[in-house]
Amino acid sequence: MQLREKTLFYGGDYNPEQWEESVWQEDMRLMKMAKVNFVSMNIFSWANLQPSEEIYDFRTLDKIMDMLHENHIYADLATATASPPAWLSTKYPSSLPVGESGKVYTHGGRQHYCPNSSVYRKLASELVERLVKRYKDHPALIMWHINNEYGCHISECYCENCVKAFRTWLQNKYQEIFTLNQAWSTDFWSQKYYQWEEILLPAKTPNGFANPGQMLDYKRFMSDSLLDCYKMEKEIIKQHTPNIPVMTNLLGLHKAINGFKWAREMDIATWDSYPEPHVKNSYGDMMAHDLTRSLKKTPFLLMEQAVSHVNWRAYNPAKRPDQMRLHSYQALAHGADGIMFFQWRASQGGAEKFHSGMVSHCGSENSRTFKEVVALGEELQALKEIEGTNIYSKVGILFDWENWWALELDSKPTTAVAYLNQVGDYYRILREYNVSVDFVHPDEDMDAYQFIIAPSLYLVSEKLTQKIEKYVAEGGTFLTNFFSGYVNENDQVYLGGYPGALKNVLGIEIEEFDAMIPEWTRQFSYEEQLYNCNVWADSIKLENAKALGYFTEDYYAGLPAITQNNFGKGYSYYIGTQPERPFLQMFLQMILEDLNIHSPLMVPKDVEVTVRENDKHKYVFLLNYNKNEVTINLDKTYISCLSGEIVTGELKLGILGADVLKIEKY
Ligand code: GAL
């Protein structure tokens, strides 16, 4: 998304209200030195902006906005609604959130508001209205930042406001209490409801298992409640500034917030990334970059990362020299159009004083970390042209928050199946082969992809069943694994044999499954070789499919473990157990080769390659996660965007090094 000029965004959370004004001028000097062009501000300023319910005071913010403009720095202006002032919590205690045990959270941290509190919503919208009217024509303003990391601390609330709002949400969804009873299977355990008022939130029950339909709807309801808060602010903003982009900073792999649904309300997708510095290459963060880009299938913004250490883990190592640069290039390589940090200047006091900042406590422009900040700012100048370039993947992973919620509700055959682990297993292997991956929501078109993988797709609607069948019938390749296709949107099992919703396309029927205890391993054979497996074993009966691998042990010995089905013009694959990693690597590689899907460039181990492109150029990102220099044999002649030089033959990438090579298309 282009804002005013073609550039990559560079900056961070800027909290000058924590500092004397004399520091602000130094901030401006250092920001210019680092080529900072964009800052997120006013995120936690509600108490400053509104000393009491009747009084607003925008004087400090006026000064900050003017100062930014004078210094040619654009503002990502936050609405300040993430941390209500103490007077609000004291005067309106019903605005405070309540935990599952019924205990009210106290004021004194942040995010201490119930999303369904009418008082919170009223006061937040009054603040936003004033803020928007005041700054709508300010020349520094180019983006609105609503609230902050919704649901990061409070993603569930069990207060009276929420019970009432839940009932209304359910009434809107089901209309008739009879329909709700059906959807929640309330004939089980005498759970039938006769009046809406009888319905409660799924808090602690005597046996620990609340109704699964109720729990699933509660997850949907809480994500929607927070989204309603966001939409309330967005509406006010759009009334006065329809052309200024609006977003909130999401959290990537964040279970509580249905990212695809939220992204529809955002002009640009964003997230905050905090990889652990001691991990060589965090595939979780890489996956979250791809997921965030996939939310809108356009470039995203990295809204926050740490220059060096954070302060909220038990142990907080510093990022090694060049590691922050490499993390930044990873974000760019996966589609980021901007690199932002939390925060500009490390705080002197407060709970985050030991979190690194772009300017550290020593304040020196000669510190190692500030020099790295300046160097990166300089490099991004050379990369301006990648702004707006996109990534085109041939492989899609079906990703659905509703499935995540349903799969991980309690009372399942095993607790060993976690959605992100399952998705992560497949994602990581694809990325180790440097195959680009999009995450695809069930409502999205799948036609652009040659290969769709659906790990642990437990919840499948009839609509999705038809879509997958059409996709494969028309020539697509589809792969899924055990415990997929079991239930509908109400978490009710499809009868007539597993994997209910996917039986037809997979050409198999499963009569029973064995959820193994952690100590067990079993084996299966595939092309004369034995592989270990654990967690789960299906008893598969072939309908139209053929077996590619067989269990060799236990009561399912001789039954298929791995199957392939020719369905219309395409193929679908099923893995009826949790195979050891070498099998998955080999199996995916075989399918990718069949489909002629390869890495854009052959590179040494732990070197990452991605390609961003526009109509004219391809930009090849090369990232070295190794602690040694590597040599890459280039297939063509490129131009290095960073040095401007022609590169051909062998390219050396230093320790934790990164480069971006450009080549004309066609
Ligand atoms: C984010 C948050 C920031 C800051 C940061 C510290 O979750 O948005 O305000 O707390 O973490 O890492």
Side-chain angles (χ1 to χ4, degrees), residues 611-658:
V611 178
R612 291 182 67 162
E613 55 190 285
N614 57 22
D615 295 349
K616 294 203 183 88
H617 291 104
K618 283 191 178 191
Y619 297 88
V620 181
F621 285 74
L622 293 167
L623 284 73
N624 179 19
Y625 295 96
N626 295 292
K627 292 201 173 129
N628 55 280
E629 188 186 80
V630 294
T631 305
I632 295 165
N633 294 315
L634 298 175
D635 55 340
K636 299 188 181 104
T637 301
Y638 297 85
I639 296 174
S640 161
C641 292
L642 294 178
S643 69
E645 281 168 17
I646 292 180
V647 283
T648 191
E650 284 191 350
L651 175 79
K652 303 253 184 245
L653 265 191
I655 301 171
L656 304 183

Side-chain angles (χ1 to χ4, degrees), residues 421-434:
N421 292 346
Q422 290 292 325
V423 172
D425 281 354
Y426 290 85
Y427 174 81
R428 183 176 175 149
I429 293 171
L430 293 165
R431 286 307 307 147
E432 282 170 353
Y433 293 139
N434 281 306

Side-chain angles (χ1 to χ4, degrees), residues 13 43-44 110 148-149 152-153 249 251 272 274 304 306 310-312 342 352 355:
D13 283 16
I43 296 180
F44 295 108
R110 64 177 175 184
N148 192 64
E149 290 187 344
C152 170
H153 310 299
N249 48 341
L251 281 160
D272 301 342
Y274 291 96
E304 292 180 20
V310 300
N311 68 308
W312 39 261
F342 176 85
E352 293 185 321
H355 192 295

Side-chain angles (χ1 to χ4, degrees), residues 457-564:
L457 190 66
Y458 164 74
L459 181 152
V460 180
S461 67
E462 281 178 23
K463 198 168 135 207
L464 181 56
T465 302
Q466 286 164 15
K467 200 168 183 169
I468 294 171
E469 288 184 1
K470 185 163 172 283
Y471 167 76
V472 182
E474 289 174 358
T477 299
F478 176 75
L479 181 149
T480 188
N481 63 345
F482 65 94
F483 207 30
S484 293
Y486 273 55
V487 299
N488 64 17
E489 298 100 313
N490 300 323
D491 199 17
Q492 291 164 326
V493 172
Y494 286 107
L495 300 178
Y498 314 122
L502 301 173
K503 242 169 55 171
N504 195 30
V505 76
L506 293 168
I508 55 170
E509 189 174 306
I510 296 162
E511 205 175 281
E512 61 166 327
F513 52 77
D514 184 26
M516 303 183 204
I517 62 167
E519 292 76 19
W520 288 357
T521 19
R522 299 289 179 262
Q523 290 197 316
F524 66 92
S525 64
Y526 180 93
E527 288 182 351
E528 325 263 295
Q529 193 151 338
L530 285 179
Y531 292 94
N532 289 330
C533 59
N534 57 13
V535 179
W536 192 280
D538 280 319
S539 296
I540 300 176
K541 197 170 92 198
L542 300 174
E543 296 288 337
N544 293 315
K546 70 174 186 191
L548 300 180
Y550 294 90
F551 288 108
T552 58
E553 286 184 87
D554 218 322
Y555 70 94
Y556 24 81
L559 293 182
I562 316 288
T563 66
Q564 181 201 45

